[in-house]
């Protein structure tokens, strides 16, 4: 039990030393990871059921070659694309915004450092270290969360395109 409480205490110290910006980075990263996990669950569990339903609807059609049938097919493919790409833009936006939040924390930390230097001069190394610490912690937090999100965002985008191609192939004209 002490290991857990020690770990939580360390996390609390880290969050306090990062300031408000680190809390924004945490919130943004939790949101990003929630959306990433939701998208993976959708692609693995929900989309195959929707795809089977669309394929069954298409195979039940008598006419698959007319202009109207082609438009219905395109509509089914587009519906799949829209449902698969849901939240991907939000995930990409968060991935781009996280380093910017880290940079905002860097600027805030450097302002703290310069404030200390203005009041005490360069003789207060401990005071300057606090601002530099904020700068480094927020930069690290923004970059680490963005890098992890970038990988999974790209992987999800590629997987989405493959799934749309599978739908298009399954709904081919016969």
């Amino acid at each position: 039990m002490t290991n857990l409480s020690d770990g939580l205490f360390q996390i609390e110290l880290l969050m306090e030393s990062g300031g408000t910006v680190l809390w924004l980075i945490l919130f943004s990263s939790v949101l990003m990871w929630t959306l990433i996990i939701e998208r993976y669950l959708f692609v693995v569990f929900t989309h195959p059921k929707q795809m089977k339903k669309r394929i069954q609807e298409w195979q039940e059609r008598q006419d698959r070659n007319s202009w109207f049938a082609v438009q219905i097919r395109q509509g089914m493919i587009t519906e799949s694309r829209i449902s698969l790409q849901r939240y991907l833009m939000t995930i990409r936006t968060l991935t781009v915004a996280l380093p910017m939040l880290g940079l905002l924390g860097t600027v805030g930390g450097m302002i703290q450092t310069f404030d200390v230097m203005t009041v005490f001069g360069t003789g207060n190394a401990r005071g300057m270290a606090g601002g530099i610490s904020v700068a480094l912690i927020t930069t690290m937090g923004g970059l680490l969360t963005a890098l992890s999100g970038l990988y999974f965002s790209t992987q999800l985008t590629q997987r989405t395109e493959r799934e749309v191609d599978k739908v298009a192939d399954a709904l081919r004209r016969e």
Side-chain angles (χ1 to χ4, degrees):
M1 187 65 178
T2 58
N3 289 338
L4 179 61
S5 62
D6 288 343
L8 291 175
F9 179 71
Q10 293 297 323
I11 290 171
E12 183 181 347
L13 283 177
L14 177 70
M15 295 306 291
E16 285 177 10
S17 63
T20 307
V21 176
L22 194 58
W23 286 102
L24 284 172
I25 291 171
L26 176 66
F27 174 75
S28 299
S29 117
V30 166
L31 176 61
M32 178 186 71
W33 276 103
T34 302
L35 294 175
I36 288 172
I37 291 168
E38 187 276 334
R39 285 291 83 196
Y40 274 107
L41 292 174
F42 178 84
V43 169
V44 171
F45 295 112
T46 307
H47 176 67
K49 294 174 188 172
Q50 289 179 350
M51 189 170 143
K52 285 179 185 177
K53 181 181 171 193
R54 286 190 178 101
I55 292 170
Q56 182 180 2
E57 287 176 19
W58 180 251
Q59 289 176 344
E60 289 174 357
R61 289 187 53 82
Q62 297 296 328
D63 174 30
R64 295 185 197 152
N65 295 317
S66 71
W67 182 86
F68 292 108
V70 170
Q71 298 307 311
I72 290 170
R73 177 182 178 268
Q74 285 300 98
M76 289 177 165
I77 294 169
T78 302
E79 285 175 358
S80 289
R81 181 183 306 276
I82 289 170
S83 67
L84 283 165
Q85 290 180 345
R86 185 176 179 202
Y87 300 131
L88 286 183
M89 185 60 72
T90 306
I91 293 168
R92 280 188 233 123
T93 302
L94 287 168
T95 301
V96 170
L98 283 164
M100 296 301 120
L101 286 173
L103 183 60
L104 179 65
T106 302
V107 170
M110 295 313 295
I111 288 172
Q112 285 179 3
T113 302
F114 292 137
D115 284 345
V116 169
M117 288 174 67
T118 301
V119 174
F120 298 105
T122 57
N124 189 352
R126 186 170 292 198
M128 290 189 303
I132 294 171
S133 173
V134 169
L136 293 175
I137 288 171
T138 55
T139 302
M140 177 193 64
L143 289 176
L144 284 177
T145 55
L147 285 175
S148 63
L150 181 64
Y151 172 77
F152 287 101
S153 170
T154 303
Q155 204 272 340
L156 269 172
T157 301
Q158 291 172 352
R159 189 165 182 168
T160 295
E161 289 304 316
R162 284 193 306 267
E163 291 297 322
V164 170
D165 290 343
K166 284 181 189 177
V167 170
D169 289 344
L171 298 177
R172 66 186 175 274
R173 290 187 267 174
E174 294 175 2

